[in-house]
């Protein structure tokens, strides 16, 4: 592999929220990027600014089917990540996590590429241990509404480590905690985008339960920096590594902060808590700090300000064009 120089990097899910930011960073570092996406949740809008770049290539493809390309590195990010989207077709969600992992691992094995798996904090389920270290095995409902995603990602991790042990494949596994920032899908049902869009429209902000459940929010630039740091480690570092911000906030506090930052007239209303919704989620990032030298740098209010600016522009553009999406 051509480490230390330009590399050909395959990014599955490259037109999505995280994937498009990763493509940006890889291009800025001088690499060639092949962006693969089936556009179920990803959009051309996210990567439109890269389409004329000679080092960027876009391929429409569903990774549940085999892919035959050349690459020095593979980042496997393809999978709907919000409950609204992954519950829309739960069987396809599991196929994307499991069959997609098999296809990408098979490709990595054929071309001898280093491969990165975007796993998730959802592998911990509704945790009994707080914060969650990588050694915690989790508390996941295998037959619930979130299982297609939770168990799909857990199985993908299993496949990655079995390929590593059986075929000596060089793997990197990151467990992503709540991430936010520009290019989030406005209708993905995730709490940050929901609150910002509702606040900008002066609509009621929907909080589930009493809003006392907690989350830790990582800004997208910090997360991508963590990805790159993990990928640059030696072959002895496989992960899984938690990548997320350990600063914890209640959902009701987040809603109040968004209302204040947007100057919104929105009121907070409550709805029943969805099934299997975790009560608390916060990463133990000791491994990321010690092994990668990584720690998040962007505070919540700064990151929310950038996300709010993005959604203001997005909603304004869609309103002027008459777009529905």
């Amino acid at each position: 592999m051509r480490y230390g120089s330009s590399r050909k990097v395959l990014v599955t899910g490259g037109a999505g929220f995280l994937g498009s930011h990763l493509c940006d960073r890889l291009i800025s570092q001088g690499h060639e990027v092949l962006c693969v996406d089936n556009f179920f949740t990803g959009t051309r809008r996210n990567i439109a600014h890269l389409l004329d770049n000679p080092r960027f290539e876009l391929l429409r493809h569903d990774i549940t089917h085999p892919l035959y390309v050349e690459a020095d590195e593979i980042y496997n990010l393809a999978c709907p990540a919000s409950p609204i989207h992954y519950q829309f077709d739960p069987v396809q969600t599991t196929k994307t996590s499991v069959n997609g992992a098999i296809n990408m691992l098979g490709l990595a094995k054929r071309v001898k590429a280093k491969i990165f798996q975007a796993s998730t904090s959802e592998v911990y389920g509704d945790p009994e241990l707080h914060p969650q270290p990588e050694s915690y095995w989790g508390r996941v409902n295998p037959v619930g509404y979130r299982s297609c995603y939770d168990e799909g990602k857990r199985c993908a991790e299993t496949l990655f480590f079995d390929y590593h042990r059986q075929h000596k494949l060089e793997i990197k596994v990151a467990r992503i905690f709540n991430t936010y920032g520009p290019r989030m899908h406005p209708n993905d049902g995730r709490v940050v985008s929901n609150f910002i869009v509702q606040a900008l429209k002066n609509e009621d902000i929907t909080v589930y339960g009493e809003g006392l459940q907690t989350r830790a929010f990582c800004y997208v630039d910090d997360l991508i920096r963590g990805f790159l740091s993990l990928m640059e480690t030696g072959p002895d570092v496989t992960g899984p590594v938690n990548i997320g911000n350990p600063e914890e906030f209640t959902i009701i506090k987040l809603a109040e902060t968004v209302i204040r930052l947007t100057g919104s007239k929105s009121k907070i209303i409550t709805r029943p808590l969805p099934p299997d919704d975790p009560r608390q989620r916060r990463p133990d990032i000791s491994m990321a700090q010690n092994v990668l030298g990584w720690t998040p740098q962007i505070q919540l209010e700064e990151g929310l300000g950038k996300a709010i600016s993005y959604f203001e522009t997005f909603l304004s553009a869609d309103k002027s064009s008459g777009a529905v999406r």
Side-chain angles (χ1 to χ4, degrees):
M1 294 185 189
R2 300 170 290 174
Y3 295 122
S5 61
S6 176
R7 305 191 285 273
K8 185 163 186 177
V9 184
L10 166 63
V11 180
T12 72
F17 165 44
L18 300 182
S20 62
H21 284 278
L22 177 59
C23 288
D24 282 346
R25 287 293 298 272
L26 292 167
I27 290 289
S28 73
Q29 292 179 347
H31 302 304
E32 298 174 34
V33 173
L34 172 58
C35 168
V36 170
D37 207 295
N38 69 350
F39 295 106
F40 176 61
T41 56
T43 68
R44 286 182 177 271
R45 180 176 190 160
N46 287 342
I47 42 87
H49 59 290
L50 295 174
L51 293 175
D52 292 331
N53 192 306
R55 287 185 281 107
F56 181 81
E57 183 180 356
L58 175 63
L59 175 64
R60 185 167 193 152
H61 180 82
D62 186 328
I63 65 163
T64 61
H65 303 288
L67 180 63
Y68 301 97
V69 296
E70 298 295 321
D72 297 314
E73 293 181 350
I74 300 169
Y75 286 83
N76 186 34
L77 275 62
C79 189
S82 72
I84 283 179
H85 290 146
Y86 67 63
Q87 291 170 6
F88 175 77
D89 188 344
V91 172
Q92 184 64 20
T93 296
T94 303
K95 285 182 177 180
T96 301
S97 289
V98 178
N99 293 356
I102 290 170
N103 288 330
M104 291 304 104
L105 287 162
L107 173 61
K109 181 186 172 188
R110 285 194 299 274
V111 301
K112 297 180 170 55
K114 182 190 294 189
I115 183 168
F116 175 101
Q117 167 66 5
S119 190
T120 172
S121 61
E122 295 292 340
V123 301
Y124 299 121
D126 189 3
E128 298 164 305
L129 184 62
H130 194 70
Q132 296 80 55
E134 293 84 353
S135 58
Y136 177 52
W137 290 357
R139 178 174 174 264
V140 175
N141 178 359
V143 295
Y145 288 103
R146 302 170 73 103
S147 306
C148 58
Y149 185 69
D150 300 4
E151 296 287 32
K153 287 290 190 176
R154 285 163 70 95
C155 185
E157 285 197 17
T158 299
L159 286 162
F160 265 71
F161 279 90
D162 283 338
Y163 264 79
H164 171 67
R165 288 184 285 257
Q166 186 172 338
H167 301 296
K168 311 304 179 188
L169 200 62
E170 188 171 356
I171 66 167
K172 309 291 177 184
V173 177
R175 289 176 177 165
I176 302 167
F177 282 70
N178 287 63
T179 305
Y180 69 99
R183 301 181 200 160
M184 292 186 79
H185 196 295
N187 300 316
D188 68 3
R190 284 188 272 195
V191 64
V192 173
S193 51
N194 265 9
F195 286 1
I196 291 176
V197 170
Q198 289 171 335
L200 290 174
K201 293 181 176 180
N202 290 309
E203 297 174 350
D204 291 339
I205 287 184
T206 309
V207 169
Y208 293 97
E210 296 179 359
L212 300 180
Q213 64 272 40
T214 63
R215 296 292 185 270
F217 302 100
C218 185
Y219 188 69
V220 62
D221 289 356
D222 281 333
L223 187 86
I224 298 304
R225 186 167 47 83
F227 285 6
L228 297 171
S229 296
L230 177 55
M231 198 60 144
E232 291 301 321
T233 57
D236 292 339
V237 179
T238 60
V241 178
N242 290 337
I243 305 289
N245 194 320
E247 191 171 355
E248 197 171 8
F249 293 87
T250 63
I251 297 302
I252 194 75
K253 174 70 172 177
L254 175 69
E256 292 167 350
T257 302
V258 168
I259 289 173
R260 174 169 56 81
L261 292 178
T262 56
S264 176
K265 298 177 182 177
S266 296
K267 293 182 172 55
I268 297 173
I269 61 171
T270 60
R271 293 284 184 269
L273 204 62
D276 300 325
D277 191 59
R279 294 162 297 173
Q280 53 188 13
R281 185 70 61 70
R282 177 164 70 95
D284 180 332
I285 63 168
S286 301
M287 185 181 296
Q289 290 172 320
N290 296 332
V291 177
L292 309 181
W294 177 89
T295 190
Q297 298 174 347
I298 298 176
Q299 298 300 311
L300 182 65
E301 290 206 11
E302 178 187 354
L304 285 176
K306 295 179 180 183
I308 288 166
S309 295
Y310 168 78
F311 278 111
E312 284 176 331
T313 302
F314 183 97
L315 294 173
S316 176
D318 274 7
K319 184 177 181 179
S320 62
S321 68
V324 175
R325 189 174 183 182

